[in-house]
Amino acid sequence: MIENPKNKVNFKRVLRIVRHSSIPLAVVASCGLITLFGADRWILRNLEEQRDLNFRQVVSRISLQLSENVLLSSYNNIDTLLLRILDEDLHITCLAVAGNNGKFLSIASREKPGSKASIKYGLPPENCRDNSDNRSIQTVSNGNFYASSKIKNNNLILGSISGHAVNDENDLALIRSIELILFGAFGVAFLPAFGVLSWSSNRQLELEQEKTGRVSALIGQLKEAQGRTRAAFEGTNDGWLEWNVQTDECIPSQKFRQLVGFHANPKKTKKRTFKLEKVWKRWVIKEDQEKLKLFLDNFKQVNYNTKSIKVSGIELRIIPIDSKKILTLKIEAVVTESIDNQSSVVAIVANNVTHDKEQQERINHLAFYDTLTGLRNRFSFSEELKNAENGLNRNEYRLAIFAIDVDNFKFLNDSHGHASGDQFLIQAANRIQSCTRQNDFVARLGGDEFVIIYRLPFRSNSETEALAKKIAGKLLIELSKGYNLKNCTTHNTCSIGICIDSIDLKSTATLLDKADIALYKAKEIGRNCFFIYQKGMASEVISKATTAEDLKRSIKAGESSVYLQPIVRLENSQKFKSNIQKIVGYEALFRCKNLNKSVQYLISCAEEAGMINLITESILDGIEAEFKKHSYNKNTYISINISPVQFLEFDFPKKLLHQLRERQIDAQRIYIEITETAVLDNTAGALERMNLLQMEGIHFSLDDFGTGYASIELLRKLPFTSIKIDRSYIQNVHQDSGIKLVKSIISMAKAFNMTLIGEGVETIEQKNTLNALGCEYAQGFLFDQNGNNRKT
């Protein structure tokens, strides 16, 4: 046995290295083969020297047992070695090599001494079987000699060798010699092998140390990544708590303590726990505490499974310490640990969404409220009306819709500026609200339009209508009071249209549409009043819309025309008997014979449908056609009626002049007739338009004088060149009262140096009376296209 302290090798480490490294294994296998080959040569030489020895009975069997990790990889070389040994010593009948587990790896045997040897595998033949197993010392039994010995190197068992001979001490000595020879050969041969193994082990140790260093670096990187992840988590919320569900204890983060104003010493409170119930009751407002309790109870359910339940987040309002401002927190939670399908640890994350809520409220306010008055807007009104109609269908109450419009608001805006107009609307909105109850709905639809939804007690139609009238009267009184604005004091009034739910339910018009129809009617009958929608009024509006469409089709089809009605100069008394009058001009009257409607009705439909410009273009086309068809005196003028709606358009002068140039109509031959209402609401705007057109040679006549609110101040401010007395005065000119009125109008016109025209003259008597009173011109169906009297 050879022992060298320097070459001591840890067996477990050797095995680990051999298992995980192919290079040391190859080295060991190579050394083993070299050793076996050398041992074989040496044994053959030794046996040659021992031939002269006299063996009474020679060794018949030799068994060599080697460790698997030493020679397992080269069975063929072992077989060759064993056969060579048997070839050299013909009296040996069996030579076997077994592994450390007792399993035979290779068996060389012959049936009898001198016969040919062969390799056997598996169980040894009968002549090779040794019934004396596991002997560690030499024994003699029944005339047989047995011997066995372990092969070691530095206390490392490499294998064992055993032999069997019969009744001869010399045989035993020979076997011992062979044992010693093999032992020495293995010891010497395996020293370099184990030196290599030792070096490989040291190298492997260095590799392991390098791996350990890399793993340590990776662990460090992992810790850094965990730190970054934690920082990222901290950055995605405004605070969190770790809640132990079983103990109801929680550990708040530093950010959470800052959020709620709990400025404790971080070093002392870092690991400090609190009862969750106490934490919330301290900061959450009372109205939200029950909601929080229900939220937390979701995590206390029996058989809780994180995959089978989802808990939606909630919003809580809290009041931080030393603060009066209420914060809104978005609370979400996730189970981080569970035991037996029950939540154990829950992370409760809080985010401050106060700013987002405020922004959302501002957005909602912009979406549903009027920014000027603070009332609800049109969209909000539509939603409220839908909800109100649902309750109406269940007979819970009666509905009354009030549509309110400010009278002459445009004049207020134009004369005093939009800032004053805004102040007026704010005050009007406040007054309207003062006339409503808490459950009534008030909205500003736009401009100077307001609407109220009243939910009235469920009573009969007459009782409901009487209540609606009472409310409307109160509103009119309140809204007609003076308004003290920054730049002025105004007394603008309002008109109100009312629709009560049961009226004309079969109509397709909505309640608001019906209230608007009633509002227009209130405007027509004098303003500063209210009108209740009556059955059939919606049908009238629909009829007007239908007529407007028919009119539009007729004009585009060329079915409209123009009648030029003469305006004649009235001669003095000496020429009364003459039937011929001098024509000074014509009024272009619109006609559409295929529509069996009055011209005034057609114009009204066109105005409400927003297509009055189409009639004006049709009149200009008719004038152009008449000029081409007939030769008119170039000194005569053409008078055109312009609707107030069209005249007050901001680009009306530009459009009219362009239309005249397109049709080659001389602007200096054009007189524009406008009514008092066209200039009364916006005197400044009317004056601007009149001056622009007057610069192009166009003149102006004040039409239907005496039927509106025209005053001497209006005639003084605006550049009218003529006044047309309304036909209602001409029809009553045979009465004393009629004569006095016409006479006063004529005197006023002469005082302003204006030409006076009597409108709607139908009889000789009317013409003569006007002439006698001093009226210079007359117009009507009494005169034909040549100025002749139709009646004598």
Side-chain angles (χ1 to χ4, degrees):
M1 183 180 296
I2 301 173
E3 295 186 2
N4 189 344
K6 296 182 179 179
N7 294 327
K8 287 186 177 179
V9 179
N10 186 302
F11 183 62
K12 292 184 179 179
R13 182 182 296 275
V14 171
L15 291 178
R16 185 170 64 252
I17 294 172
V18 170
R19 285 197 301 268
H20 297 285
S21 176
S22 60
I23 294 176
L25 185 60
V27 172
V28 172
S30 300
C31 291
L33 292 174
I34 294 171
T35 302
L36 287 175
F37 183 77
D40 177 61
R41 294 293 92 191
W42 199 91
I43 289 171
L44 289 176
R45 191 178 69 175
N46 187 65
L47 289 175
E48 185 69 24
E49 294 175 353
Q50 294 297 322
R51 279 184 180 180
D52 294 335
L53 296 178
N54 293 320
F55 284 96
R56 195 171 356 149
Q57 289 182 338
V58 297
V59 175
S60 63
R61 291 190 298 273
I62 296 176
S63 176
L64 179 66
Q65 186 177 22
L66 300 175
S67 178
E68 286 182 4
N69 60 334
V70 176
L71 295 173
L72 191 61
S73 64
S74 185
Y75 293 152
N76 292 331
N77 290 334
I78 295 174
D79 295 342
T80 303
L81 178 61
L82 297 180
L83 289 175
R84 285 183 181 182
I85 294 173
L86 292 182
D87 289 341
E88 292 293 332
D89 198 344
L90 297 177
H91 60 269
I92 298 176
T93 60
C94 182
L95 184 60
V97 176
N100 56 4
N101 59 356
K103 181 180 179 181
F104 284 90
L105 304 178
S106 183
I107 304 170
S109 68
R110 55 169 59 96
E111 293 180 358
K112 60 183 180 178
S115 64
K116 184 175 179 59
S118 62
I119 299 300
K120 305 291 183 180
Y121 296 101
L123 295 175
E126 184 66 27
N127 61 334
C128 288
R129 295 181 183 176
D130 184 5
N131 296 324
S132 302
D133 298 327
N134 298 324
R135 289 187 173 87
S136 60
I137 59 175
Q138 298 177 3
T139 61
V140 177
S141 176
N142 298 325
N144 291 313
F145 177 79
Y146 299 94
S148 177
S149 179
K150 302 293 184 182
I151 302 175
K152 298 182 181 180
N153 183 34
N154 292 339
N155 295 324
L156 176 63
I157 298 174
L158 302 179
S160 64
I161 184 168
S162 62
H164 175 213
V166 181
N167 296 329
D168 197 299
E169 293 296 329
N170 292 328
D171 290 345
L172 178 61
L174 178 61
I175 293 173
R176 287 184 178 277
S177 298
I178 294 173
E179 175 187 349
L180 292 173
I181 292 168
L182 290 175
F183 176 79
F186 275 93
V188 173
F190 273 87
L191 284 176
F194 280 99
V196 173
L197 291 175
S198 178
W199 173 85
S200 178
S201 175
N202 292 332
R203 178 56 182 162
Q204 190 68 24
L205 180 60
E206 293 176 0
L207 294 176
E208 291 293 334
Q209 289 175 345
E210 291 179 3
K211 290 181 180 178
T212 303
R214 289 196 294 270
V215 170
S216 298
L218 290 174
I219 292 173
Q221 294 176 3
L222 180 60
K223 289 181 178 179
E224 291 180 4
Q226 289 175 342
R228 290 194 295 270
T229 303
R230 186 179 183 87
F233 171 74
E234 292 284 353
T236 58
N237 59 74
D238 296 315
W240 58 276
L241 301 101
E242 185 179 290
W243 174 41
N244 188 311
V245 179
Q246 279 71 32
T247 63
D248 196 40
E249 293 180 338
C250 66
I251 302 175
S253 68
Q254 181 64 23
K255 290 180 67 176
F256 182 83
R257 290 195 294 267
Q258 294 174 354
L259 179 65
V260 299
F262 182 50
H263 301 291
N265 188 339
K267 295 182 179 180
K268 294 183 179 180
T269 60
K270 187 173 182 180
K271 298 297 183 180
R272 184 180 174 185
T273 60
F274 301 87
K275 286 293 184 181
L276 183 62
E277 184 178 0
K278 292 182 179 180
V279 170
W280 289 121
K281 284 189 175 181
R282 185 171 183 179
W283 289 291
V284 178
I285 65 174
K286 292 182 179 180
E287 292 80 1
D288 288 356
Q289 288 183 5
E290 182 63 26
K291 178 169 61 174
L292 173 63
K293 182 179 181 300
L294 294 175
F295 174 74
L296 297 176
D297 285 345
N298 287 311
F299 296 95
K300 298 179 181 179
Q301 297 182 42
V302 180
N303 297 325
Y304 180 85
N305 190 319
T306 56
K307 295 182 179 179
S308 64
I309 187 169
K310 292 183 178 179
V311 180
S312 301
I314 60 172
E315 289 185 356
L316 294 177
R317 291 168 293 172
I318 69 168
I319 302 178
I321 297 174
D322 299 329
S323 175
K324 295 182 179 179
K325 182 179 180 180
I326 297 178
L327 301 182
T328 302
L329 302 184
K330 175 70 173 180
I331 302 299
E332 295 176 305
V334 61
V335 177
T336 58
E337 294 181 21
S338 60
I339 300 175
D340 297 332
N341 288 332
Q342 293 186 14
S343 56
S344 175
V345 179
V346 177
I348 302 175
V349 181
N351 281 292
N352 186 358
V353 295
T354 306
H355 178 71
D356 295 339
K357 292 288 290 184
E358 292 173 349
Q359 286 288 92
Q360 187 62 44
E361 289 176 0
R362 282 192 286 269
I363 292 172
N364 289 340
H365 193 273
L366 291 174
F368 295 98
Y369 289 84
D370 175 50
T371 55
L372 177 64
T373 63
L375 299 177
R376 296 295 189 93
N377 58 15
R378 180 180 290 275
F379 177 78
S380 185
F381 166 76
S382 299
E383 295 298 315
E384 181 68 19
L385 187 57
K386 290 178 184 177
N387 296 333
E389 288 177 341
N390 292 333
L392 178 65
N393 295 332
R394 296 190 293 267
N395 295 328
E396 295 178 4
Y397 42 71
R398 300 295 300 272
L399 281 182
I401 310 300
F402 281 52
I404 304 173
D405 189 82
V406 180
D407 298 329
N408 302 319
F409 180 71
K410 183 173 176 57
F411 176 78
L412 172 65
N413 255 344
D414 293 342
S415 58
H416 297 288
H418 289 282
S420 296
D422 289 346
Q423 291 177 12
F424 177 89
L425 292 175
I426 293 172
Q427 292 186 28
N430 293 334
R431 295 185 187 187
I432 292 173
Q433 279 190 303
S434 68
C435 298
T436 58
R437 302 161 302 175
Q438 187 175 1
N439 63 335
D440 296 326
F441 183 89
V442 185
R444 179 188 175 213
L445 301 184
D448 59 336
E449 300 176 62
F450 298 89
V451 65
I452 307 174
I453 299 177
Y454 283 105
R455 290 177 172 84
L456 304 179
F458 193 81
R459 297 176 183 173
S460 64
N461 290 344
S462 58
E463 291 177 313
T464 304
E465 185 172 326
L467 181 57
K469 288 180 179 180
K470 182 178 179 181
I471 296 172
K474 181 180 178 181
L475 277 168
L476 289 176
I477 293 173
E478 192 66 26
L479 292 172
S480 62
K481 296 177 181 178
Y483 294 83
N484 295 319
L485 309 179
K486 185 176 180 180
N487 299 327
C488 64
T489 298
T490 182
H491 292 81
N492 288 64
T493 58
C494 293
S495 299
I496 302 175
I498 304 172
C499 174
I500 299 175
D501 54 60
S502 63
I503 302 297
D504 201 10
L505 288 178
K506 294 183 179 180
S507 172
T508 57
T510 66
L511 296 177
L512 179 60
D513 293 334
K514 297 170 187 176
D516 282 336
I517 293 170
L519 173 63
Y520 295 143
K521 192 67 176 179
K523 293 275 189 182
E524 288 179 7
I525 62 178
R527 305 180 182 182
N528 192 25
C529 63
F530 64 85
F531 193 88
I532 299 179
Y533 177 87
Q534 298 174 358
K535 187 176 181 179
M537 291 180 68
S539 300
E540 181 182 349
V541 172
I542 295 172
S543 176
K544 278 191 171 184
T546 303
T547 301
E549 289 297 321
D550 294 339
L551 177 61
K552 183 177 181 179
R553 285 193 293 269
S554 297
I555 292 175
K556 289 186 175 181
E559 297 173 352
S560 61
S561 61
V562 169
Y563 172 70
L564 298 181
Q565 188 177 63
I567 300 173
V568 301
R569 181 190 296 275
L570 297 177
E571 302 295 341
N572 55 34
S573 57
Q574 295 178 353
K575 299 181 180 180
F576 274 179
K577 295 180 181 180
S578 173
N579 290 333
I580 300 175
Q581 306 292 330
K582 183 179 179 180
I583 297 177
V584 296
Y586 298 89
E587 181 178 354
L589 301 176
F590 177 77
R591 296 289 185 267
C592 192
K593 295 182 179 179
N594 65 311
L595 297 179
N596 190 22
K597 306 287 183 182
S598 68
V599 174
Q600 193 61 36
Y601 181 76
L602 293 177
I603 291 174
S604 174
C605 292
E607 286 179 337
E608 293 185 16
M611 49 175 284
I612 191 63
N613 292 334
L614 201 59
I615 290 182
T616 301
E617 290 185 11
S618 176
I619 291 173
L620 294 177
D621 290 339
I623 293 173
E624 179 186 14
E626 284 291 325
F627 280 0
K628 291 180 179 179
K629 186 177 180 180
H630 303 286
S631 58
Y632 289 91
N633 189 337
K634 293 184 178 181
N635 293 325
T636 59
Y637 64 85
I638 305 296
S639 183
I640 304 172
N641 284 283
I642 298 297
S643 165
V645 175
Q646 184 180 6
F647 183 74
L648 292 177
E649 291 178 356
F650 75 97
D651 59 345
F652 168 72
K654 181 180 178 180
K655 283 185 178 180
L656 179 64
L657 293 174
H658 176 71
Q659 291 168 344
L660 292 175
R661 283 192 293 269
E662 275 190 329
R663 295 165 177 81
Q664 297 181 350
I665 299 174
D666 186 3
Q668 295 184 359
R669 295 183 64 182
I670 298 299
Y671 271 64
I672 293 179
E673 297 184 15
I674 54 177
T675 60
E676 302 162 34
T677 55
V679 297
L680 195 61
D681 291 342
N682 188 2
T683 306
L687 178 61
E688 179 183 1
R689 291 163 178 74
M690 293 173 74
N691 287 336
L692 289 173
L693 293 172
Q694 197 175 39
M695 291 172 63
E696 299 295 329
I698 294 177
H699 297 78
F700 292 91
S701 294
L702 182 59
D703 196 16
D704 299 335
F705 185 82
T707 58
Y709 303 95
S711 63
I712 296 176
E713 186 66 16
L714 190 64
L715 295 175
R716 188 183 66 82
K717 286 183 178 181
L718 300 177
F720 289 106
T721 57
S722 61
I723 297 175
K724 299 187 77 171
I725 304 174
D726 187 71
R727 63 180 65 249
S728 61
Y729 291 96
I730 303 303
Q731 291 173 356
N732 295 323
V733 78
H734 60 279
Q735 299 177 357
D736 291 340
S737 59
I739 292 175
K740 290 179 180 179
L741 286 173
V742 172
K743 191 174 182 178
S744 63
I745 293 172
I746 293 173
S747 300
M748 182 180 62
K750 289 182 177 180
F752 283 98
N753 196 25
M754 292 184 182
T755 302
L756 198 64
I757 303 170
E759 201 174 24
V761 177
E762 304 294 338
T763 65
I764 296 295
E765 290 76 12
Q766 291 173 351
K767 184 198 76 169
N768 292 337
T769 302
L770 287 175
N771 196 6
L773 293 174
C775 184
E776 301 173 295
Y777 301 95
Q779 172 190 340
F781 290 102
L782 176 65
F783 312 104
D784 61 18
Q785 291 281 0
N786 298 318
N788 299 327
N789 292 335
R790 297 179 184 274
K791 300 177 181 179
T792 56

